[in-house]
Amino acid sequence: MTEITTAQPSRLTTAFDIPRPPGLTWYVQAQQPVGYEVSLTRGLLSPVNPALAKAVGADGRGGVRALVVVDRVVDKLYGTALRDYFAAWQTDATWLVMSGDEETKVLEQAVDVTRAMTEMGILRRTERVVVVGGGVLMDVVGLAASLYRRGAPYVRVPTTLVGQVDAGVGVKTGVNHGTHKNRLGTYFAPEVTLIDPEFLRTVPERHIANGLAEIIKMALIKDADLFRLLEETVAHISSDTMANCGSAMSEVISRAIAGMLDELEPNLWESVLERSVDYGHTFSPSLELRADPPLLHGEAVAVDMAVCVALAEGRGLLGTTEAHRALALIAAAGLPLTHPVFTPELLQVGLADAVKHRDGLQRLPLTDGIGSCVFVNDVTAAQLAAALEFVHAYADHRTDGPGR
């Protein structure tokens, strides 16, 4: 006869039995330092300039590899100079030429970059990805670098004005998803961003204006001196004057970059959702994705800023004269003040989406006098409609011409 016995719990099972609620809790806290360099230089593609070589770890004696991702348009203009530069520094570069258009800012594009990293067999910590192009491509490649083996080092070389003063100096990466801009993304700093104004010589005037929108943003919310400098020089700003980077343009670019970094550094991970650099970026995502023909990013930001200027005027944060000065500067930069798609209804849609992004509050940055910023949470539909009317009235009766 077989005897059946009930197994007794072992001492190990008894000793480590999970206690009744609330149970056991472990709390883990860690900090990861973040440091990256933003460098303004000249003659970046000249072999006598070691900045880019240093960024990829080259010393001219060989043994260094890098994956270089280049915007297709940039490759036509600077591809030979780029290849000659890396050859001069004995760098074994693998080349990936991609489109940098807004419609290609999708997850599949980032996956293509990771595929190239795999095919190259890039080493996880000691070999870099270099992205050469505008803000779209930098966002895509930055996302790919952040995802590949949970983080691979990369270097940015922005070639557009918006890339040099905005997209290239922060830590955000991302792609569009569905009907939303930058819905998928990460925070992932490059090791270095190398900015050479000479690239701007081949940037079309429309794209210079596109970047000026982000510079005007910094002037309105942070730097009254920059605003006055822009008023004095905007009529003379062009691809060539930006590329020549004389004293005035050098100050414009450096003040814009310094102001942006000053705002970003204490809040890189956006733990604080009241961000002055979100100025012009509340309503513009909705406009940018709906406009047909498409608007550039800075053009949508300009229309958003115009509405925000009017909202500030309606609240007494800006005098009417100041508001007109702000609108005049935006227009003089060659940027739009209005757009047919920008209706009161779309403004409400954009604000509602921003509220979700900002954790349930509007946190709408408005100018509190030119060069300063406050945040409001009580903007109404009626105020949005009135602001739009203010901008349309100014645009309809403007007498200072179309700008540059």
Side-chain angles (χ1 to χ4, degrees):
M1 179 177 177
T2 303
E3 184 177 354
I4 300 175
T5 60
T6 302
Q8 298 297 315
S10 69
R11 177 181 296 180
L12 183 64
T13 303
T14 304
F16 289 95
D17 201 16
I18 297 175
R20 294 192 175 109
L24 295 174
T25 300
W26 287 265
Y27 179 71
V28 179
Q29 185 175 23
Q31 291 183 337
Q32 181 178 0
V34 176
Y36 64 101
E37 179 181 296
V38 178
S39 179
L40 189 61
T41 185
R42 301 302 301 264
L44 183 65
L45 300 186
S46 170
V48 300
N49 186 338
L52 183 53
K54 178 183 176 183
V56 299
D59 59 8
R61 295 195 292 269
V64 176
R65 301 193 309 159
L67 173 64
V68 186
V69 186
V70 189
D71 178 279
R72 185 167 288 115
V73 175
V74 174
D75 189 58
K76 291 178 181 178
L77 295 167
Y78 299 100
T80 299
L82 277 164
R83 287 163 177 79
D84 289 347
Y85 181 92
F86 283 111
W89 282 92
Q90 300 289 307
T91 300
D92 181 9
T94 298
W95 299 89
L96 177 62
V97 179
M98 306 184 77
S99 173
D101 298 330
E102 187 70 28
E103 56 266 25
T104 64
K105 193 178 182 182
V106 293
L107 186 59
E108 291 76 13
Q109 189 93 323
V111 172
D112 286 344
V113 178
T114 64
R115 186 176 296 114
M117 296 168 75
T118 298
E119 292 173 355
M120 172 188 166
I122 196 168
L123 298 181
R124 185 179 182 186
R125 291 287 181 262
T126 57
E127 295 180 334
R128 278 86 174 170
V129 179
V130 180
V131 52
V132 187
V136 168
L137 194 61
M138 286 191 294
D139 278 358
V140 169
V141 175
L143 178 62
S146 73
L147 296 175
Y148 190 81
R149 299 186 185 275
R150 299 184 180 88
Y154 74 114
V155 174
R156 290 173 175 159
V157 180
T159 58
T160 62
L161 184 56
V162 73
Q164 294 187 353
V165 301
D166 185 73
V169 302
V171 300
K172 292 200 290 189
T173 78
V175 295
N176 303 332
H177 183 67
T179 59
H180 302 283
K181 276 190 63 64
N182 298 319
R183 182 51 54 94
L184 304 178
T186 60
Y187 300 98
F188 192 64
E191 289 190 330
V192 62
T193 293
L194 297 170
I195 298 170
D196 184 353
E198 181 59 36
F199 284 115
L200 302 180
R201 197 174 304 280
T202 52
V203 171
E205 295 298 324
R206 183 184 177 191
H207 286 264
I208 293 295
N210 184 47
L212 283 176
E214 296 290 355
I215 297 176
I216 292 171
K217 173 191 78 176
M218 296 309 302
L220 284 171
I221 55 95
K222 188 175 180 65
D223 192 341
D225 289 336
L226 176 58
F227 184 89
R228 287 187 287 270
L229 179 60
L230 287 169
E231 283 186 312
E232 295 168 0
T233 60
V234 68
H236 308 290
I237 293 177
S238 67
S239 301
D240 284 336
T241 59
M242 278 289 187
N244 292 337
C245 209
S247 59
M249 292 304 97
S250 179
E251 184 175 356
V252 165
I253 291 175
S254 60
R255 290 185 82 101
I257 293 171
M260 175 67 80
L261 290 173
D262 187 56
E263 290 296 306
L264 293 179
E265 186 177 25
N267 191 30
L268 275 179
W269 316 120
E270 298 183 17
S271 55
V272 177
L273 294 178
E274 290 183 341
R275 302 173 69 245
S276 62
V277 292
D278 281 341
Y279 187 76
H281 293 70
T282 299
F283 312 105
S284 59
S286 297
L287 172 60
E288 194 173 344
L289 288 173
R290 289 169 173 81
D292 188 18
L295 288 177
L296 298 177
H297 175 72
E299 293 170 338
V301 167
V303 178
D304 184 316
M305 289 194 297
V307 170
C308 290
V309 164
L311 285 170
E313 193 274 344
R315 288 171 168 252
L317 298 171
L318 278 178
T320 303
T321 299
E322 284 183 308
H324 285 172
R325 284 178 63 198
L327 295 176
L329 178 59
I330 294 170
L335 292 160
L337 296 174
T338 64
H339 191 279
V341 173
F342 228 35
T343 63
E345 293 74 23
L346 183 62
L347 288 175
Q348 293 176 54
V349 169
L351 185 57
D353 195 53
V355 166
K356 296 174 187 176
H357 187 62
R358 297 168 187 171
D359 208 29
L361 293 175
Q362 292 179 358
R363 307 183 202 269
L364 179 62
L366 295 177
T367 46
D368 184 17
I370 291 173
S372 186
C373 177
V374 294
F375 298 89
V376 300
N377 291 294
D378 58 351
V379 172
T380 66
Q383 290 170 346
L384 290 174
L388 205 55
E389 288 181 10
F390 182 93
V391 178
H392 278 282
Y394 176 83
D396 290 343
H397 296 94
R398 192 163 55 90
T399 60
D400 57 354
R404 297 185 292 118

